[in-house]
Amino acid sequence: MPGVLQSFSVITPSGRQVDVAFSNDSSQISALRSLECIQCRNITYNGRKIDGCHHTICQPCIDNNDSLATGEHNCDGIIVTGKTLTSYSIETRTLLDNLIVLCPFSDCNQKALLSDVDQHIRDHPAVDQHIRDQINPANGSLSEIQIANDPDELPPNSRWIEHEGIIYFVVESNPQ
Ligand SMILES: [Zn+2]
Ligand SMILES: [Zn+2]
Ligand SMILES: [Zn+2]
């Protein structure tokens, strides 16, 4: 893809995978590399640093694997455990918030801050119309379209569709 040299992608706060725009800033690249989850290799907005080493574990992996919550991982060839996990520092959050990422829709590819890209995706005109066409009941007035990571998270009385790997839903105001 033109403009993308280093192949980093990041998981947004809403769980959407986006590519990081071209970076030739070597300190930024090494900072990003240190944020890759030791388990799944994703860089996520919600992750924890392992105290005493340069590794990171993402929250979804911790949620799926109790041993990761103890910091157990293969640390450069040695299995370690009993580590404390700490939330990202302000510096790390700032780095992530200010990352320039590409809109994941191939006909758009607009650059946006990571902290803004979920809103950009949500406001996407083409997506919006596509979603509205599919999700809108024939007579209904539509409440705000929201994004979920997983169908299990949906509130009751939701209508939802999946589009390009993302779940859009609306909560019906007066279900019958
Ligand atoms: Zn992970
Ligand atoms: Zn380590
Ligand atoms: Zn876009």
Side-chain angles (χ1 to χ4, degrees):
M1 192 184 299
V4 179
L5 181 66
Q6 192 79 30
S7 61
F8 283 113
S9 62
V10 181
I11 311 294
T12 71
S14 79
R16 183 69 204 237
Q17 185 163 350
V18 295
D19 288 328
V20 177
F22 168 74
S23 171
N24 59 6
D25 177 339
S26 60
S27 70
Q28 187 183 56
I29 289 169
S30 64
L32 284 175
R33 204 163 269 141
S34 79
L35 294 176
E36 284 179 336
C37 173
I38 189 80
Q39 182 79 2
C40 68
R41 311 311 311 182
N42 287 326
I43 298 172
T44 66
Y45 201 82
N46 294 309
R48 306 285 193 89
K49 298 295 288 184
I50 303 168
D51 278 0
C53 74
H54 54 282
H55 289 131
T56 298
I57 303 180
C58 75
Q59 192 63 47
C61 283
I62 295 170
D63 292 343
N64 287 332
N65 186 334
D66 287 341
S67 69
L68 290 176
T70 70
E72 181 174 323
H73 70 291
N74 182 334
C75 192
D76 302 328
I78 300 167
I79 305 294
V80 299
T81 188
K83 296 284 186 182
T84 304
L85 307 181
T86 53
S87 300
Y88 287 162
S89 63
I90 301 287
E91 291 74 19
T92 299
R93 291 234 168 266
T94 303
L95 169 83
L96 288 170
D97 279 338
N98 292 304
L99 270 186
I100 308 292
V101 300
L102 300 172
C103 172
F105 294 98
S106 53
D107 57 349
C108 177
N109 264 337
Q110 186 176 313
K111 292 178 182 172
L113 294 176
L114 179 59
S115 54
D116 294 338
V117 73
D118 280 327
Q119 189 61 48
H120 169 84
I121 294 168
R122 213 173 273 133
D123 291 345
H124 227 277
V127 173
D128 198 51
Q129 194 54 54
H130 180 82
I131 302 308
R132 281 174 193 281
D133 288 348
Q134 292 197 40
I135 208 171
N136 196 9
N139 55 357
S141 66
L142 198 54
S143 57
E144 191 187 346
I145 295 173
Q146 301 176 72
I147 293 176
N149 295 331
D150 193 298
D152 294 341
E153 295 175 5
L154 296 174
N157 306 319
S158 300
R159 296 169 57 90
W160 63 277
I161 64 162
E162 185 176 341
H163 177 69
E164 296 199 12
I166 195 162
I167 291 164
Y168 298 84
F169 71 95
V170 295
V171 179
E172 289 192 272
S173 46
N174 46 2
Q176 213 41 259

